[in-house]
Amino acid sequence: MEQRVRRRARVEGVVQGVGFRPFVHSLATRLGLSGHVGNDVHGVFLEVEGTTAAVERFLVSVTEQAPPLAVIERITTDELAACGSGSFEIVASEAAGTRGTLVSADSTTCADCLREMLDPHDRRFGHPFVNCTNCGPRFTIVRDIPYDRPLTTMSAFAMCARCESEYHDPADRRFHAQPVCCPDCGPRLRLHDAAGVVLPGDPLAGAVAALERGEIVAIKGLGGYHLAVDATNQDAAATLRKRKHREDKPFAVVVSGPERAEDLCVVGEDEQALLTSPRRPIVLLRARTGTALAAAVAPGNRRLGVMLPYTPLHHLLLRQLDTPIVLTSGNVADEPIAYTEQQARARLSGIVDVFLSHDRAIHMRTDDSVVRSFRGREMLLRRSRGYVPQPIPLAWDFPRHVLACGAELKNTFCVAKQHHAFVSHHIGDLENHETLASFAEGIEHFRRLFEVDPRLVAHDLHPEYLSTKYAQGLDDVELVGVQHHHAHIAACLVDNAESGPVLGVAFDGLGYGTDDTLWGGEFLLSDLVDFRRLAHLEPVAMPGATTAIRQPWRMAVAHLVSAYGQHLPAELDLLRRNEQQWPAVADLAARGVSAPPTSSAGRLFDAVAALLGVRHAINYEGQAAVELEQGTDLDERGSYPVTVPAGGEPLRVPGSDLVRAVVEDLRAGVAAPVIAARFHNGVADMIAEVCTRLRESTGVSTVALSGGVFQNMLLLERTTARLEAGDFRVLVHARVPTNDGGISLGQVAVAGARDRCDSAVLPR
């Protein structure tokens, strides 16, 4: 008789809430092994006993055949004495000990569940909450770990006998699926008006009828409420804009399938993969012209944010409507997305006509994630539902637990321990009490969920950021201030699993510098520990300070003053348009009164947008630069030259060369789209030339591109191409946003690297 062996294994990673235990049970049973498997605070523990060949095959298959939502980071095993047990069992979860398990992100409805929901003979036919171990809500319903039903918001629903039988049947797809339910025992939809009065009839049919009438419907999703209208109805989309106070920023739309996305947009192979992935993000696609889409959905935009249905409710709605619908965050202006019925009624009653809600509570609000494809890679612009809380793994361990508080705009926070950095879901702009409260609640939830007790707290250098003030208000922690643009480059390094040094090009709107001025057009020699500022754009005044951000024409006047002194080209349309105000603004810029200097690349793009008449005042952050890119002639290859100074540290690169070239072409009657293209090409050429100059002095030939300006795909593509043509290796973002949504990861990485103290600090 062949000798029996027994092995104990520990499986770490995303292995709870993804059907891992039933998978192990089925695999072990199929191979004739005995033993057990269970969850604890570290992940999955198991023991298997059988022949040597069967046990070895089991251990290989655990990795190769794992469930689709599982992410195995590490398996450790050791040998035990065989004890002759005769069966394989799933044992009770263990809650004791220091938590180390990872929590799964929410996932789109799987094909099996969708098939059941659409089968008139299935008991879950038409059930808007169908799910199994391979799909459904996870992070948004988890209150604590281990991930078991009593610690989720599904604890409010007692399983019926049939669901309980499935839950306990190792051969069933719903074996230990924590959100399992059916029409007899699960959550229920309800339709009510703005006053909270429940409306009669089938809630789903009522919501469909409201959308067909051109009304605005609030729909409770996985991570909060969405506002929905028929995306082909111009009046409905325009009304939504007016009520939501969202004048210009594009809406996202959801379509029933990939073929409907093709009707509206050009969808490449890589973009198709993003659309259909289990994460179901909003994917930015090149919009087709002449479609049935209402003009108010994405006015004047070449790109459209499109997603496919990711909940059973979405699928049911779109099957009945057979038209694309706008699906935008359920909030007003800059408030966080509403996720409780009380919040929705209080904040959204003035916007919506009816609410399609349900009684399954959301524990943690999450917005939809936004991605695009760049050179065949996924590039995240907003990392939230479907991606969070999956961690970013690092090649080294954090000596102490770390909290990073992020930036002010597009805020995320990050907690880190061992070799994991947990970047939060998108919080938003920390400019009001509601968003700050959401930020603080999120930190407490992540600390509890991943049992992080931060001893180091990293923050931005800006003293007025609410995230900085939050950090400074914590007791018994060591504070680590991280310069904004260093954090950008550090995030790009970690995103690419590198540690530097690199030439970091950090181009964004604004960030507080180590000299107490506002930076934003930076060339850094950087690793994770430290940086040197080797070059930057020549500082230009911001007349009226933050008012100049909201009114880009002011930045145009400031750049004209920098380029021409007191003799401005008065024939420019921008100056004629603002003839009553520009002399006073020019005086502020010239004297530096209420006009702090900034090296910001973002403000340079704003200035050129205003000079070209693209945008004189903005309604959302970055709008002028976005519309400048949208209006560019993509076939133009001309470029404006920039004179890079011969020496000095830091080099001061004159943006005034670009401004003068723009003005001369305006005087010559060159079309605005051509000027915009030449400006973009000039910036890309300037970056490549400066990096070449810095390579000569540093010997570093890897460039990391980060900061919100590099959300501009035209600039990113042309800058990357020019650098690669110059034999540079180029790092760009993929897993975290290049905008301020990635700052918290950079802060965590810098704090952890400094705590380790084994990277060479760059010489100053």
Side-chain angles (χ1 to χ4, degrees), residues 281-350:
I282 296 170
V283 183
L284 294 187
L285 303 170
R286 183 155 56 90
R288 297 185 187 276
T289 58
T291 69
L293 209 64
V297 171
N301 209 298
R302 286 177 177 169
R303 291 192 172 267
L304 180 67
V306 180
M307 61 180 162
L308 301 186
Y310 59 86
T311 71
L313 180 57
H314 292 149
H315 282 284
L316 292 169
L317 271 172
L318 286 164
R319 285 184 68 83
Q320 293 195 31
L321 276 168
D322 196 33
T323 186
I325 60 173
V326 166
L327 211 59
T328 188
S329 299
N331 57 9
V332 181
D334 297 322
E335 291 180 350
I337 185 173
Y339 73 109
T340 68
E341 193 161 326
Q342 294 75 15
Q343 286 179 351
R345 202 176 300 173
R347 299 180 188 176
L348 305 180
S349 291

Coordinates of all heavy atoms in Angstrom, one line a residue, residues 281-350:
P281 N -15.1 48.8 -15.2 CA -14.9 50.2 -15.0 C -15.6 51.0 -16.1 O -16.1 50.5 -17.1 CB -13.4 50.3 -15.1 CG -13.0 49.3 -16.1 CD -13.9 48.1 -15.8
I282 N -15.6 52.3 -15.9 CA -15.9 53.2 -17.0 C -14.7 53.3 -17.8 O -13.6 53.5 -17.3 CB -16.3 54.6 -16.4 CG1 -17.5 54.6 -15.6 CG2 -16.4 55.6 -17.6 CD1 -17.8 55.9 -14.8
V283 N -14.8 53.1 -19.1 CA -13.7 53.1 -20.1 C -13.9 54.3 -21.0 O -14.9 54.5 -21.6 CB -13.6 51.8 -20.9 CG1 -12.4 51.8 -21.8 CG2 -13.6 50.6 -20.0
L284 N -12.8 55.1 -21.0 CA -12.8 56.3 -21.9 C -12.5 55.8 -23.4 O -11.5 55.3 -23.6 CB -11.8 57.3 -21.5 CG -12.1 58.0 -20.1 CD1 -11.1 59.1 -19.9 CD2 -13.5 58.5 -20.1
L285 N -13.5 56.1 -24.3 CA -13.4 55.6 -25.6 C -13.5 56.8 -26.6 O -14.1 57.8 -26.2 CB -14.5 54.6 -25.9 CG -14.5 53.4 -25.0 CD1 -15.8 52.6 -25.3 CD2 -13.3 52.5 -25.3
R286 N -13.0 56.6 -27.8 CA -13.1 57.7 -28.8 C -14.6 57.6 -29.4 O -15.0 56.6 -29.9 CB -12.1 57.5 -29.9 CG -12.1 58.5 -31.0 CD -10.7 58.6 -31.7 NE -10.3 57.4 -32.3 CZ -10.6 57.0 -33.5 NH1 -11.4 57.8 -34.3 NH2 -10.2 55.8 -33.9
A287 N -15.3 58.7 -29.2 CA -16.7 58.8 -29.6 C -16.9 58.9 -31.1 O -16.1 59.5 -31.8 CB -17.4 60.0 -28.9
R288 N -17.9 58.2 -31.6 CA -18.2 58.3 -33.0 C -19.1 59.6 -33.2 O -19.8 60.0 -32.2 CB -19.0 57.1 -33.5 CG -18.2 55.8 -33.4 CD -19.0 54.6 -34.0 NE -18.4 53.4 -33.8 CZ -17.5 52.9 -34.6 NH1 -17.0 53.6 -35.7 NH2 -16.9 51.7 -34.4
T289 N -19.2 60.1 -34.4 CA -20.0 61.2 -34.7 C -21.3 60.7 -35.2 O -21.4 59.6 -35.8 CB -19.4 62.2 -35.6 OG1 -19.0 61.5 -36.8 CG2 -18.1 62.8 -35.0
G290 N -22.4 61.5 -35.1 CA -23.7 61.1 -35.7 C -24.4 60.0 -35.0 O -25.3 59.4 -35.7
T291 N -24.2 59.8 -33.8 CA -24.9 58.7 -33.0 C -26.2 59.3 -32.4 O -26.4 60.5 -32.5 CB -24.1 58.1 -31.9 OG1 -23.9 59.1 -30.9 CG2 -22.7 57.7 -32.4
A292 N -27.0 58.5 -31.8 CA -28.3 58.9 -31.2 C -28.1 59.5 -29.9 O -29.0 60.0 -29.3 CB -29.2 57.7 -31.1
L293 N -26.8 59.6 -29.4 CA -26.6 60.1 -28.1 C -26.9 61.6 -28.0 O -26.6 62.4 -28.9 CB -25.1 59.9 -27.7 CG -24.7 59.7 -26.2 CD1 -25.3 58.5 -25.7 CD2 -23.2 59.7 -26.1
A294 N -27.5 62.0 -26.9 CA -27.9 63.4 -26.7 C -26.6 64.3 -26.6 O -25.6 63.9 -26.0 CB -28.7 63.6 -25.5
A295 N -26.6 65.5 -27.2 CA -25.5 66.3 -27.1 C -25.1 66.7 -25.7 O -23.9 67.0 -25.4 CB -25.8 67.6 -28.0
A296 N -26.1 66.8 -24.8 CA -25.8 67.2 -23.4 C -25.1 66.2 -22.6 O -24.6 66.4 -21.5 CB -27.1 67.6 -22.7
V297 N -24.9 65.0 -23.1 CA -24.2 63.9 -22.4 C -22.7 64.2 -22.2 O -22.2 64.1 -21.1 CB -24.4 62.5 -23.0 CG1 -23.6 61.4 -22.4 CG2 -25.9 62.1 -22.9
A298 N -22.1 64.5 -23.3 CA -20.6 64.8 -23.3 C -20.3 65.9 -24.3 O -19.7 65.7 -25.3 CB -19.8 63.6 -23.7
P299 N -20.8 67.2 -24.0 CA -20.7 68.3 -24.9 C -19.3 68.6 -25.4 O -18.4 68.8 -24.5 CB -21.3 69.4 -24.2 CG -21.3 69.1 -22.7 CD -21.3 67.6 -22.7
G300 N -19.1 68.6 -26.7 CA -17.8 69.0 -27.2 C -16.6 68.1 -26.9 O -15.5 68.5 -27.0
N301 N -16.9 66.9 -26.6 CA -15.8 66.0 -26.1 C -15.6 64.9 -27.2 O -16.6 64.2 -27.6 CB -16.2 65.3 -24.8 CG -15.0 65.0 -23.9 OD1 -14.2 64.2 -24.4 ND2 -14.8 65.6 -22.8
R302 N -14.3 64.6 -27.5 CA -14.0 63.6 -28.4 C -14.1 62.2 -27.8 O -14.2 61.2 -28.5 CB -12.6 63.7 -28.9 CG -12.4 64.9 -29.9 CD -10.9 65.0 -30.3 NE -10.7 66.0 -31.3 CZ -9.4 66.5 -31.6 NH1 -8.4 65.9 -31.0 NH2 -9.3 67.4 -32.5
R303 N -14.1 62.1 -26.5 CA -14.2 60.8 -25.8 C -15.4 60.7 -25.0 O -16.0 61.7 -24.5 CB -12.9 60.6 -24.9 CG -11.7 60.5 -25.7 CD -10.5 60.0 -24.9 NE -9.4 59.7 -25.8 CZ -9.1 58.4 -26.3 NH1 -9.9 57.4 -26.0 NH2 -8.1 58.2 -27.1
L304 N -15.8 59.5 -24.8 CA -17.0 59.2 -24.0 C -16.7 58.1 -23.0 O -16.0 57.1 -23.3 CB -18.1 58.7 -25.0 CG -19.5 58.3 -24.3 CD1 -20.2 59.6 -23.7 CD2 -20.4 57.7 -25.4
G305 N -17.2 58.3 -21.8 CA -17.0 57.2 -20.8 C -18.1 56.2 -20.8 O -19.3 56.6 -20.7
V306 N -17.8 55.0 -21.1 CA -18.8 53.9 -21.3 C -18.5 52.8 -20.4 O -17.3 52.4 -20.2 CB -18.7 53.4 -22.8 CG1 -19.8 52.3 -23.0 CG2 -19.0 54.6 -23.7
M307 N -19.5 52.2 -19.8 CA -19.4 50.9 -19.1 C -20.5 50.0 -19.4 O -21.5 50.4 -19.9 CB -19.3 51.2 -17.6 CG -20.5 51.8 -16.9 SD -20.2 52.1 -15.2 CE -21.5 53.3 -14.8
L308 N -20.3 48.7 -19.1 CA -21.3 47.7 -19.3 C -22.0 47.4 -17.9 O -21.4 47.7 -16.9 CB -20.6 46.4 -19.8 CG -19.9 46.5 -21.1 CD1 -19.4 45.1 -21.6 CD2 -20.8 47.1 -22.2
P309 N -23.1 46.8 -17.9 CA -23.8 46.5 -16.7 C -22.9 45.7 -15.8 O -22.3 44.7 -16.2 CB -25.1 45.7 -17.1 CG -25.2 46.1 -18.5 CD -23.9 46.3 -19.1
Y310 N -22.9 46.0 -14.5 CA -22.1 45.2 -13.5 C -23.0 44.6 -12.4 O -22.4 43.9 -11.5 CB -20.9 45.9 -13.0 CG -21.2 47.2 -12.3 CD1 -21.5 47.3 -11.0 CD2 -21.1 48.4 -13.0 CE1 -21.7 48.4 -10.3 CE2 -21.4 49.6 -12.3 CZ -21.6 49.6 -11.0 OH -21.9 50.8 -10.3
T311 N -24.2 45.0 -12.3 CA -25.1 44.3 -11.3 C -26.3 43.7 -12.0 O -26.6 44.1 -13.1 CB -25.6 45.4 -10.3 OG1 -26.6 46.2 -10.9 CG2 -24.5 46.2 -9.7
P312 N -26.9 42.7 -11.4 CA -28.2 42.2 -12.0 C -29.2 43.2 -12.3 O -29.9 43.1 -13.3 CB -28.6 41.2 -10.9 CG -27.4 40.8 -10.1 CD -26.6 42.1 -10.1
L313 N -29.3 44.2 -11.4 CA -30.3 45.3 -11.6 C -30.0 46.0 -12.9 O -31.0 46.4 -13.7 CB -30.3 46.2 -10.4 CG -31.3 47.4 -10.4 CD1 -32.7 46.9 -10.6 CD2 -31.2 48.2 -9.2
H314 N -28.8 46.4 -13.1 CA -28.4 47.1 -14.4 C -28.8 46.2 -15.6 O -29.4 46.8 -16.6 CB -26.9 47.3 -14.4 CG -26.4 48.3 -13.4 ND1 -25.1 48.2 -12.9 CD2 -27.0 49.3 -12.9 CE1 -24.9 49.2 -12.1 NE2 -26.0 49.9 -12.0
H315 N -28.5 44.9 -15.5 CA -28.9 44.1 -16.7 C -30.4 44.1 -16.9 O -30.8 44.2 -18.1 CB -28.4 42.6 -16.4 CG -26.9 42.4 -16.6 ND1 -26.4 42.3 -17.9 CD2 -25.9 42.3 -15.7 CE1 -25.1 42.1 -17.7 NE2 -24.8 42.1 -16.4
L316 N -31.2 44.0 -15.8 CA -32.6 43.9 -16.0 C -33.1 45.3 -16.5 O -34.0 45.3 -17.4 CB -33.3 43.6 -14.6 CG -33.0 42.2 -14.1 CD1 -33.5 42.1 -12.6 CD2 -33.7 41.2 -14.9
L317 N -32.6 46.4 -16.1 CA -33.0 47.7 -16.6 C -32.8 47.8 -18.1 O -33.7 48.2 -18.8 CB -32.3 48.8 -15.8 CG -32.9 49.3 -14.5 CD1 -31.9 50.3 -13.9 CD2 -34.2 50.1 -14.8
L318 N -31.6 47.5 -18.5 CA -31.2 47.7 -19.9 C -31.9 46.7 -20.8 O -32.0 47.0 -22.0 CB -29.7 47.6 -20.0 CG -29.0 48.9 -19.4 CD1 -27.5 48.6 -19.2 CD2 -29.2 50.1 -20.4
R319 N -32.2 45.5 -20.3 CA -33.0 44.6 -21.2 C -34.4 45.2 -21.5 O -34.9 44.9 -22.6 CB -33.1 43.2 -20.5 CG -31.8 42.4 -20.6 CD -32.0 41.0 -20.0 NE -32.9 40.2 -20.8 CZ -32.4 39.6 -21.9 NH1 -31.2 39.6 -22.3 NH2 -33.3 38.8 -22.6
Q320 N -34.9 45.9 -20.6 CA -36.3 46.5 -20.8 C -36.2 47.8 -21.5 O -37.1 48.1 -22.3 CB -37.0 46.7 -19.5 CG -37.3 45.3 -18.8 CD -38.3 45.5 -17.6 OE1 -39.2 46.4 -17.7 NE2 -38.2 44.7 -16.6
L321 N -35.2 48.6 -21.4 CA -35.1 49.9 -22.0 C -34.6 49.8 -23.4 O -35.0 50.6 -24.3 CB -34.1 50.8 -21.2 CG -34.8 51.5 -20.0 CD1 -33.7 52.1 -19.1 CD2 -35.7 52.6 -20.4
D322 N -33.6 49.0 -23.6 CA -33.0 48.8 -25.0 C -32.4 50.2 -25.5 O -32.6 50.5 -26.7 CB -33.9 48.2 -26.0 CG -33.2 47.7 -27.2 OD1 -32.1 47.3 -27.1 OD2 -33.8 47.8 -28.3
T323 N -31.8 51.0 -24.6 CA -31.2 52.2 -25.0 C -30.1 52.6 -24.0 O -30.2 52.1 -22.8 CB -32.3 53.4 -25.0 OG1 -31.7 54.6 -25.5 CG2 -32.8 53.7 -23.6
P324 N -29.1 53.3 -24.4 CA -28.1 53.6 -23.4 C -28.6 54.6 -22.4 O -29.5 55.4 -22.7 CB -27.0 54.3 -24.2 CG -27.6 54.8 -25.5 CD -28.7 53.8 -25.7
I325 N -28.1 54.5 -21.1 CA -28.6 55.4 -20.1 C -27.4 56.1 -19.5 O -26.3 55.5 -19.3 CB -29.5 54.8 -19.0 CG1 -28.7 53.7 -18.3 CG2 -30.8 54.3 -19.6 CD1 -29.5 53.1 -17.1
V326 N -27.6 57.4 -19.1 CA -26.6 58.1 -18.3 C -26.6 57.4 -16.9 O -27.6 57.2 -16.4 CB -26.9 59.6 -18.2 CG1 -26.1 60.2 -17.1 CG2 -26.6 60.3 -19.5
L327 N -25.4 57.2 -16.4 CA -25.3 56.7 -15.0 C -24.2 57.5 -14.3 O -23.0 57.2 -14.5 CB -25.0 55.2 -15.0 CG -25.5 54.3 -13.9 CD1 -27.0 54.4 -13.8 CD2 -25.1 52.9 -14.0
T328 N -24.5 58.5 -13.6 CA -23.5 59.4 -13.0 C -23.7 59.4 -11.5 O -24.8 59.0 -10.9 CB -23.7 60.8 -13.5 OG1 -22.6 61.6 -13.1 CG2 -25.0 61.5 -13.1
S329 N -22.7 59.7 -10.7 CA -22.7 59.6 -9.3 C -23.8 60.4 -8.7 O -24.2 61.5 -9.1 CB -21.4 60.2 -8.7 OG -20.3 59.5 -9.2
G330 N -24.4 59.8 -7.7 CA -25.6 60.4 -7.0 C -25.1 61.4 -6.0 O -25.1 61.1 -4.8
N331 N -24.8 62.6 -6.4 CA -24.4 63.7 -5.5 C -24.7 65.0 -6.2 O -25.1 65.1 -7.3 CB -22.9 63.6 -5.2 CG -22.0 63.6 -6.4 OD1 -22.4 63.8 -7.5 ND2 -20.7 63.3 -6.2
V332 N -24.5 66.1 -5.4 CA -24.6 67.4 -6.0 C -23.2 68.1 -5.9 O -22.6 68.0 -4.9 CB -25.6 68.3 -5.2 CG1 -25.7 69.7 -5.7 CG2 -27.0 67.6 -5.1
A333 N -22.8 68.6 -7.1 CA -21.5 69.3 -7.2 C -20.4 68.4 -6.6 O -20.1 67.3 -7.1 CB -21.6 70.6 -6.5
D334 N -19.8 68.9 -5.5 CA -18.6 68.2 -5.0 C -18.8 67.3 -3.7 O -17.9 66.9 -3.1 CB -17.5 69.2 -4.6 CG -17.0 70.0 -5.8 OD1 -16.9 69.4 -6.9 OD2 -16.8 71.2 -5.7
E335 N -20.1 67.0 -3.4 CA -20.4 66.2 -2.3 C -20.0 64.7 -2.6 O -19.9 64.3 -3.8 CB -21.9 66.2 -2.0 CG -22.4 67.6 -1.4 CD -23.9 67.5 -1.1 OE1 -24.5 66.6 -1.5 OE2 -24.3 68.5 -0.5
P336 N -19.8 63.9 -1.5 CA -19.6 62.5 -1.8 C -20.8 61.8 -2.3 O -21.9 62.4 -2.1 CB -19.2 61.9 -0.4 CG -19.0 63.1 0.5 CD -19.7 64.3 -0.1
I337 N -20.7 60.7 -3.0 CA -21.8 59.9 -3.5 C -22.7 59.5 -2.3 O -22.2 59.1 -1.3 CB -21.3 58.7 -4.3 CG1 -22.5 58.0 -4.9 CG2 -20.5 57.8 -3.5 CD1 -22.1 56.9 -5.9
A338 N -24.0 59.7 -2.4 CA -24.9 59.3 -1.4 C -25.0 57.7 -1.4 O -25.1 57.1 -2.5 CB -26.3 59.9 -1.6
Y339 N -25.0 57.1 -0.2 CA -25.1 55.7 -0.2 C -26.1 55.1 0.8 O -26.3 53.9 0.8 CB -23.7 55.1 0.1 CG -23.1 55.2 1.5 CD1 -23.0 54.1 2.3 CD2 -22.7 56.4 2.0 CE1 -22.5 54.2 3.6 CE2 -22.2 56.5 3.3 CZ -22.1 55.4 4.1 OH -21.6 55.5 5.4
T340 N -26.7 55.9 1.6 CA -27.8 55.4 2.5 C -29.1 56.1 2.0 O -29.1 57.1 1.3 CB -27.6 55.8 4.0 OG1 -27.7 57.3 4.1 CG2 -26.2 55.4 4.5
E341 N -30.2 55.5 2.3 CA -31.5 56.0 1.9 C -31.7 57.4 2.5 O -32.3 58.3 1.8 CB -32.6 55.0 2.3 CG -33.9 55.4 1.6 CD -34.9 54.2 1.5 OE1 -34.4 53.0 1.4 OE2 -36.1 54.4 1.6
Q342 N -31.3 57.6 3.7 CA -31.5 58.9 4.4 C -30.7 59.9 3.6 O -31.2 61.0 3.4 CB -31.0 58.8 5.8 CG -31.9 57.9 6.7 CD -31.6 56.4 6.5 OE1 -30.6 56.0 5.9 NE2 -32.5 55.6 7.0
Q343 N -29.4 59.6 3.3 CA -28.6 60.6 2.5 C -29.2 60.9 1.2 O -29.3 62.1 0.7 CB -27.2 60.1 2.3 CG -26.3 60.1 3.5 CD -24.9 59.5 3.2 OE1 -24.7 58.9 2.1 NE2 -24.0 59.6 4.2
A344 N -29.6 59.8 0.5 CA -30.2 60.0 -0.8 C -31.4 60.9 -0.8 O -31.6 61.8 -1.6 CB -30.5 58.6 -1.4
R345 N -32.3 60.7 0.2 CA -33.5 61.5 0.3 C -33.2 62.9 0.6 O -33.8 63.9 0.0 CB -34.5 60.9 1.3 CG -35.9 61.3 1.1 CD -36.8 60.6 2.1 NE -36.8 59.2 2.0 CZ -37.4 58.4 2.8 NH1 -38.1 58.9 3.9 NH2 -37.3 57.1 2.7
A346 N -32.2 63.1 1.5 CA -31.9 64.5 1.9 C -31.2 65.3 0.8 O -31.4 66.5 0.6 CB -31.0 64.4 3.2
R347 N -30.3 64.6 0.1 CA -29.4 65.3 -0.9 C -30.0 65.3 -2.3 O -29.6 66.2 -3.1 CB -28.0 64.7 -0.9 CG -27.3 64.8 0.5 CD -25.9 64.2 0.4 NE -25.3 64.1 1.7 CZ -24.1 63.5 1.8 NH1 -23.5 63.0 0.8 NH2 -23.6 63.5 3.0
L348 N -30.7 64.3 -2.7 CA -31.1 64.1 -4.1 C -32.5 64.4 -4.4 O -32.9 64.4 -5.6 CB -30.8 62.7 -4.5 CG -29.3 62.2 -4.3 CD1 -29.2 60.7 -4.7 CD2 -28.3 63.1 -5.0
S349 N -33.4 64.7 -3.4 CA -34.8 64.9 -3.6 C -35.0 66.1 -4.6 O -36.0 66.1 -5.3 CB -35.5 65.1 -2.3 OG -35.6 63.9 -1.6
G350 N -34.1 67.1 -4.5 CA -34.3 68.2 -5.4 C -33.8 67.9 -6.8 O -34.0 68.8 -7.7

